[in-house]
Amino acid sequence: MFTLNFLIRRLAQGVVIIFLVSFLIFTLLRVVPGDPVRLMAGGMAPEALIEKIAKDMGLRDPIIVQFGRYMGSVVRGDLGQSFVRPANGASTGGSSFNDSTRGERAEVLTLILEALPMTLQLAAMTLAISLVFSAIIGIAGGLYPGRWPDKVAFYISSIFISLPNFWLGIVLALLFSVKLGWLPAIGYNGFAYTILPAIVLAVEMSPVLIRTLVGSVSSQMTEAYVSVGRVRGLGRTRIIANHVLRNASVPLFNLLGIQFSSLLGGVIIVEYIFDYPGLGLLTINAVLQRDFPLIQGIAIVTSAIFVLINIVVDLVATSIDPRLEY
Amino acid sequence: MSIISIASPDSSTMLASRSLARRVFDKAVASPGFRAGAAIFIVLALATALYPELSGIDPVKMDIKARLLPPLFEGAKWSWAHPLGTDQLGRDMLVRSLVGLRYSFLIGVASVIVMLFVGCTLGTIAGYFGGRIDAVIMRLTDAQLSIPMIILAIAVLGVSRPTIPAIVLVLGMSNWPVYARMMRSVVMTERQREFVRAAQIGGSTDLRIIVTLLLPLLLPSVLFTSVLDVARMMIFESTLGFLGLGVQPPTPTFGNIIADGRKYLLNAWWIATMPGLFLGLTLTSINLMGAALERARDTVHAGGE
């Protein structure tokens, strides 16, 4: 019953957060200068036509009215249509406003659902690499605080956090793809294309994970139950594997929930560099093209994922450590 | 700075008489990580401050005859005049990188100041007054933490001209929720303590309590954390530059040099990689110092009080 109660409360909070996020993005996009209709209709379109299109689309109404209308359709599951992307996937250009070859505009939901699996694959790969790497470095560092594994962890995390992701992406592509020819880098044409971007993202993520692990493992090792375990005759390996790591993983899970949005920020840049057709590339193009419905759709979907991940993280954390309150 | 003097290890009674912030600082300075970081940082700072003027090379002067020269000991055409080679327009890479470092560092520091100001103000208000104000500010931080700031930064800078004040403001607004949360939690615990109650009974106004009692006590530990954020903001700034939304060319910044160099990656690898090496080195030095400070703060706070 507790769990159900918790779920309902958190989901309600989540809805509030998603609402706030969409309101912030919605207002911001309309306050900032830059007219999407100009981009849609093409540079040569006469002013009167632009005004007419904008009026027809309701872009000249007060922001609150527009927001109400938008949220009304979002609640019914309709995220609207992209301003610039055609449904058939053809080029988004078109310099003349009456170009008859322009087809129906693409549904935002379809665009997002096409890109999302690609990014989830990248994220899963990143998570796997960074967790394995940080676990090795971080647990070793935490078990021997002040000794060399701890120092190695300290210097590795200091250096990794100092590598700008876009630069690292270029250098790794130059090294592994151009010079050595081991891994493909640009575009997407099979699973191997995920590896380089995932390594770059993992390098970006692991410093925080390593630091947290070192801190939590070393503080757990000073707890009374470790000494008691030794008195009970448990081996060191068993104490560490069954008890210490279990408790030390709680802060790690909480961190993963918080890290999600910074991971997404990294995904945008990395997908842009590697031309990886995921949510990040979709986002950056949408922002540069002032594609309001697409940006809003992405913001809603990502903040929903953020909320869900944090709920799952809290559930997992409480099942590991029942003392934590929901 | 005379604090380099090594404190004898058994001077705990003497230690206690110094302020907490001072103890944290001294402890950090004694660590090898901090010293290594500080040494790299000082060398880079001196080079950045002096070399562009001393060498007399103009970072934006083009020289087509000397274009795409490789760095030292690479290939046949290298020269001492251009230790890191030249770019596609014959501009000296070393001077360009150092000038880029100036912009990057100044923007990083300025945006952290903006961030500290906004975050600490809102966090202190939320933690001190609590109730509805607290709830509103905390929901605002939740909402902002769930949107990657790079999206907002691109959206804002993509249309308005990316001038330096605009960039500083956008960067500054990106990470304030972290400080707001940090300040809120410490202010909430501190305001229950006796000295705050005593001041309240003594008739001090809330503003007076916050400014004269709470801030001097709590700011130093927040400042130690903010050292790490200078590095983070420098990365953010160069990312924006890389996307073409940072300080505009011809002014050299790490971001736009690397973005330029990416086009010449196959025949002149040094254009894209060398500035990144500088940026990475600077950030490593800042991060080493910041991490040492944080570590020292944690041990002093855990064992000291």
Side-chain angles (χ1 to χ4, degrees), chain A residues 80-87 89 105-117 277-279 282 286 291 294 298:
Chain A
Q81 290 179 330
S82 162
F83 276 175
V84 282
R85 283 167 184 263
R105 289 180 293 133
E107 289 290 326
V108 166
L109 199 59
T110 331
L111 286 173
I112 293 178
L113 289 182
E114 273 169 18
L116 195 59
L279 205 57
L282 192 68
D291 196 344
L294 191 50
I298 292 171

Side-chain angles (χ1 to χ4, degrees), chain B residues 210-232:
Chain B
I210 291 174
V211 173
T212 62
L213 290 179
L214 292 178
L215 285 188
L217 189 68
L218 304 176
L219 264 188
S221 74
V222 176
L223 282 179
F224 292 137
T225 313
S226 71
V227 173
L228 288 174
D229 257 338
V230 172
R232 204 170 302 147

Side-chain angles (χ1 to χ4, degrees), chain A residues 136-205:
Chain A
I136 295 171
I137 305 278
I139 293 172
L143 289 180
Y144 303 98
R147 307 252 297 278
W148 67 264
D150 183 28
K151 288 186 178 128
V152 167
F154 177 76
Y155 284 103
I156 283 187
S157 58
S158 290
I159 291 172
F160 275 16
I161 208 170
S162 311
L163 299 173
N165 52 13
F166 63 98
W167 180 75
L168 189 68
I170 291 175
V171 170
L172 290 187
L174 182 69
L175 205 66
F176 289 113
S177 189
V178 179
K179 295 262 151 99
L180 298 172
W182 288 353
L183 289 169
I186 304 299
Y188 185 82
N189 198 14
F191 183 71
Y193 286 79
T194 321
I195 299 174
L196 266 185
I199 292 177
V200 174
L201 283 173
V203 167
E204 195 184 350
M205 257 191 92

Side-chain angles (χ1 to χ4, degrees), chain A residues 20-75:
Chain A
L20 266 177
V21 166
S22 21
F23 185 68
L24 279 181
I25 292 265
F26 197 91
T27 325
L28 204 87
L29 285 177
R30 277 152 183 81
V31 169
V32 163
D35 193 351
V37 182
R38 176 55 74 185
L39 283 167
M40 284 163 63
M44 301 298 287
E47 200 61 42
L49 181 74
I50 294 212
E51 278 306 311
K52 185 179 172 299
I53 296 177
K55 266 226 174 63
D56 288 348
M57 297 180 66
L59 287 172
R60 294 293 183 265
D61 294 339
I63 290 175
I64 287 293
V65 176
Q66 292 187 40
F67 184 65
R69 194 161 46 208
Y70 178 69
M71 283 320 270
S73 56
V74 167
V75 170

Side-chain angles (χ1 to χ4, degrees), chain B:
Chain B
M1 290 222 217
S2 58
I3 21 115
I4 313 283
S5 64
I6 300 152
S8 52
D10 57 345
S11 56
S12 52
T13 47
M14 194 188 83
L15 279 174
S17 64
R18 288 178 299 162
S19 78
L20 214 55
R22 187 58 183 271
R23 272 158 59 196
V24 171
F25 191 76
D26 288 359
K27 191 169 170 53
V29 168
S31 72
F34 187 93
R35 291 186 176 174
I40 303 173
F41 186 77
I42 289 170
V43 170
L44 281 170
L46 283 179
T48 311
L50 302 177
Y51 185 77
E53 267 70 33
L54 283 185
S55 69
I57 302 173
D58 185 350
V60 294
K61 186 175 158 283
M62 302 172 203
D63 180 5
I64 298 298
K65 273 183 287 183
R67 66 195 286 265
L68 297 179
L69 287 183
L72 291 181
F73 312 117
E74 164 80 21
K77 289 195 302 175
W78 62 271
S79 77
W80 285 109
H82 304 292
L84 292 186
T86 55
D87 69 358
Q88 73 278 11
L89 297 172
R91 297 174 291 193
D92 185 68
M93 287 304 299
L94 181 58
V95 171
R96 281 175 73 74
S97 299
L98 289 175
V99 173
L101 187 55
R102 279 186 195 172
Y103 281 97
S104 188
F105 186 69
L106 291 181
I107 291 177
V109 171
S111 55
V112 167
I113 292 173
V114 171
M115 177 187 305
L116 275 173
F117 181 76
V118 176
C120 290
T121 311
L122 288 179
T124 311
I125 292 172
Y128 191 85
F129 296 105
R132 198 165 293 164
I133 306 176
D134 180 35
V136 169
I137 294 179
M138 282 306 110
R139 285 295 84 76
L140 211 62
T141 63
D142 284 346
Q144 189 170 346
L145 285 175
S146 69
I147 326 172
M149 271 315 282
I150 191 114
I151 296 185
L152 293 187
I154 299 169
V156 173
L157 293 175
V159 279
S160 54
R161 223 177 110 70
T163 55
I164 292 179
I167 294 168
V168 167
L169 210 63
V170 166
L171 295 184
M173 296 311 282
S174 68
N175 213 20
W176 67 266
V178 176
Y179 290 96
R181 287 188 166 186
M182 211 189 294
M183 269 319 254
R184 171 181 175 265
S185 66
V186 285
V187 166
M188 269 178 131
T189 51
E190 288 295 324
R191 75 161 306 217
Q192 312 291 340
R193 306 262 296 261
E194 285 83 357
F195 69 92
V196 176
R197 292 233 186 105
Q200 274 171 335
I201 292 166
S204 297
T205 57
D206 291 333
L207 186 70
R208 192 186 165 87
I209 293 174
I210 291 174
V211 173
T212 62
L213 290 179
L214 292 178
L215 285 188
L217 189 68
L218 304 176
L219 264 188
S221 74
V222 176
L223 282 179
F224 292 137
T225 313
S226 71
V227 173
L228 288 174
D229 257 338
V230 172
R232 204 170 302 147
M233 287 305 115
M234 284 172 72
I235 290 192
F236 203 162
E237 186 270 338
S238 58
T239 308
L240 288 175
F242 179 72
L243 295 174
L245 302 172
V247 181
Q248 294 299 300
T251 307
T253 64
F254 287 124
N256 65 35
I257 300 175
I258 294 174
D260 265 357
R262 195 172 162 223
K263 299 169 201 150
Y264 299 88
L265 200 57
L266 294 185
N267 49 2
W269 54 266
W270 56 89
I271 303 179
T273 49
M274 284 302 178
L277 222 53
F278 264 93
L279 181 58
L281 213 57
T282 315
L283 296 175
T284 308
S285 71
I286 296 176
N287 280 322
L288 281 174
M289 292 190 285
L293 280 172
E294 265 202 338
R295 223 173 223 218
R297 182 196 64 190
D298 291 347
T299 48
V300 167
H301 277 251
E305 261 184 326

Side-chain angles (χ1 to χ4, degrees), chain A residues 32 106 110 131 216 293 318:
Chain A
V32 163
T110 331
L131 276 181
S216 61
T318 42

